Amino acid sequence: MIRTLQDHGVHRGIDVHMEHTILSILKDGNRAVGAFGYERERGRFKIFRAKAIVLATGGIGRAYKITSNSWEYTGDGHSLAYEAGGGTDRHGVYPVSSDRNGLAASVMGILVTEGVRGEGGILTNNAGRRFMFDDIPDNYRSQTADDAEEGWRYVRATKMRAARQNY
């Protein structure tokens, strides 16, 4: 997707600057007018002037100890937007999703597939406690099981329906 976007931009006359790191968004009053960064290969500083800025910098997976995200997903883009006064909505800093299905131990960074839970797998923390019911936002509570038993009833009923449909 990145290469397609770059190719499309190049064909429209947009300059593409590969292997650069942006350190800050440049502003004139409340308006973003460019960016300050450096060329990673040579270490040369650069100023980019712009009429508009789109930050498409990836995720923040590396902010977590266990993640399957690539090394560059450090949250720098979120930080740039925040420092420039953007990246927020009416509720504060723009929300970030988190997939807490990372395995620890010898396979650190590997995620457990959603299919495991669909087959009846149980997610526990290092203390053996089922933690997924702890942090459900209020606006989603009506869409989720109230407790582990209700969740199991749903899984069993779904499996029984599927088994009946296969006969």
Side-chain angles (χ1 to χ4, degrees), residues 23-34:
L23 301 172
S24 64
I25 302 295
L26 302 175
K27 294 175 63 176
D28 183 8
N30 285 331
R31 188 178 182 302
V33 294

Side-chain angles (χ1 to χ4, degrees), residues 132-160:
M132 293 301 287
F133 294 103
D134 296 348
D135 299 319
I136 299 170
D138 290 336
N139 56 327
Y140 291 110
R141 285 207 182 274
S142 65
Q143 302 171 31
T144 60
D146 290 330
D147 55 35
E149 181 53 38
E150 183 182 348
W152 274 116
R153 285 194 311 266
Y154 173 79
V155 170
R156 284 193 298 266
T158 302
K159 287 187 169 297
M160 290 175 73

Side-chain angles (χ1 to χ4, degrees), residues 72-90:
E72 68 268 16
Y73 295 150
T74 58
D76 291 0
H78 291 76
S79 178
L80 286 169
Y82 181 78
E83 292 295 324
T88 61
D89 66 10
R90 61 190 167 93

Side-chain angles (χ1 to χ4, degrees), residues 7 18 20 32 58 70 78 95 115 121 151:
D7 288 346
M18 303 292 288
H20 284 70
S70 182
H78 291 76

